[in-house]
Amino acid sequence: MRITITLYVLWLLAACNSIQKQNEIIVARETTAPATTESPPAQIEEDFGFEAKAKAIGLTDIAMLDSSIAIRIAYSTKDNFTKTDLYGTFDKAYLIDGYAKKITAAQIKLKQLHPHYTLVIYDAARPVVVQQKLWDQAQLPESTKRLYLSKPEQNSLHNYGAAIDLAILDSTGKQLDFGSTYDFFGEEAQPRFEQKLLKQGKLTNHQIENRKLLRSLMLSVGFTSIQTEWWHYNACSRVYAKNNFKLLN
């Protein structure tokens, strides 16, 4: 009888151990099971603080004056000659207040002439740090580079919010044909060669007329054109800007 009881107790202990081991295995499987796969978080654009700095030196957001003007800041995308986004979340067009109001005046004049056209801004106030990056990334001889970019240490009028790059869109939102793209490095971009290129068949009368339309609008509100970029207009001289305005650092 004692032998029978002893055997029963040993059997019972073995059964309990077996159940305990099975439970441990189940728990281990549950705790080591792979976690549900989740999609990686979307990449967040970097905020360089450029807008806060623009406001701090008193620049004005043109869209706040006239929301009908199209804003397509090229350096806030990869659609520029550097193929990189240099502005991060900064995608607005800021200028010194008086100059911003002149752009809205040009928009009004354009609408009077062509109700379905609109100005489009590709760049306005530009931080000094971006000016340096543009200079560094332009793969051109310095003599050619200086036709399209100001040396960083000399400061561009863009760095003060006193220059603007722009064009005109038609009723479908497509840019008028100006004979070259924005940010193009070549003779086709340079107004000083328009007549020569027209004779050579590299520019058409239609393309030049579109440029003249943009020029007439900008000159009529007090901006000046330059001879190397059809899209670029200055609001004042570099000396005046240096003596009267703050840099967008």
Side-chain angles (χ1 to χ4, degrees):
M1 182 69 175
R2 288 179 180 177
I3 295 173
T4 302
I5 293 173
T6 300
L7 291 174
Y8 175 74
V9 170
L10 292 173
W11 175 83
L12 186 61
L13 290 172
C16 289
N17 287 335
S18 176
I19 292 171
Q20 183 178 359
K21 288 181 179 180
Q22 289 178 2
N23 288 337
E24 288 174 352
I25 292 171
I26 291 171
V27 170
R29 287 175 178 172
E30 290 177 348
T31 56
T32 58
T36 303
T37 302
E38 296 181 357
S39 300
Q43 186 175 359
I44 299 174
E45 288 185 273
E46 190 165 1
D47 181 1
F48 298 117
F50 294 153
E51 184 167 12
K53 292 175 181 177
K55 291 179 179 178
I57 62 173
L59 301 184
T60 296
D61 180 356
I62 294 174
M64 297 300 292
L65 299 179
D66 189 340
S67 60
S68 72
I69 298 173
I71 310 294
R72 298 179 183 176
I73 304 301
Y75 300 126
S76 189
T77 71
K78 294 182 180 180
D79 187 17
N80 59 71
F81 77 87
T82 72
K83 304 304 178 185
T84 57
D85 180 346
L86 300 175
Y87 282 1
T89 57
F90 183 59
D91 59 357
K92 297 179 181 179
Y94 277 82
L95 284 184
I96 292 163
D97 186 67
Y99 301 148
K101 289 174 180 175
K102 288 184 177 183
I103 297 301
T104 64
Q107 172 78 339
I108 291 170
K109 291 188 176 188
L110 175 60
K111 289 291 187 181
Q112 291 171 344
L113 293 170
H114 301 279
H116 301 297
Y117 283 4
T118 185
L119 294 176
V120 56
I121 299 173
Y122 294 130
D123 200 24
R126 178 189 302 159
V128 174
V129 65
V130 173
Q131 188 73 26
Q132 183 69 58
K133 290 179 180 179
L134 292 175
W135 182 265
D136 293 342
Q137 294 188 44
Q139 302 301 309
L140 298 167
E142 183 167 331
S143 58
T144 304
K145 192 185 300 190
R146 295 182 69 170
L147 296 174
Y148 307 101
L149 291 166
S150 295
K151 295 189 73 171
E153 59 268 26
Q154 295 175 346
N155 298 127
S156 165
L157 283 173
H158 280 292
N159 303 148
Y160 295 97
I164 193 165
D165 295 343
L166 75 174
I168 299 172
L169 304 180
D170 65 16
S171 60
T172 68
K174 182 181 178 182
Q175 181 188 287
L176 301 187
D177 186 355
F178 288 89
S180 82
T181 59
Y182 168 70
D183 242 3
F184 178 77
F185 297 150
E187 285 192 349
E188 289 83 353
Q190 301 185 37
R192 60 180 174 172
F193 293 128
E194 285 173 355
Q195 293 307 310
K196 181 185 80 171
L197 295 174
L198 178 64
K199 292 178 181 178
Q200 294 175 348
K202 294 181 178 180
L203 286 179
T204 66
N205 276 311
H206 177 65
Q207 292 165 339
I208 293 176
E209 286 304 310
N210 287 337
R211 294 183 181 197
K212 287 181 177 179
L213 172 60
L214 180 60
R215 274 201 293 271
S216 66
L217 289 169
M218 296 302 291
L219 295 177
S220 73
V221 297
F223 280 76
T224 58
S225 60
I226 63 174
Q227 290 299 302
T228 55
E229 296 174 342
W230 60 259
W231 56 81
H232 179 101
Y233 288 85
N234 292 328
C236 63
S237 70
R238 203 183 307 247
V239 172
Y240 185 85
K242 183 177 180 180
N243 291 333
N244 291 275
F245 306 128
K246 296 178 181 178
L247 287 167
L248 178 55
N249 282 311

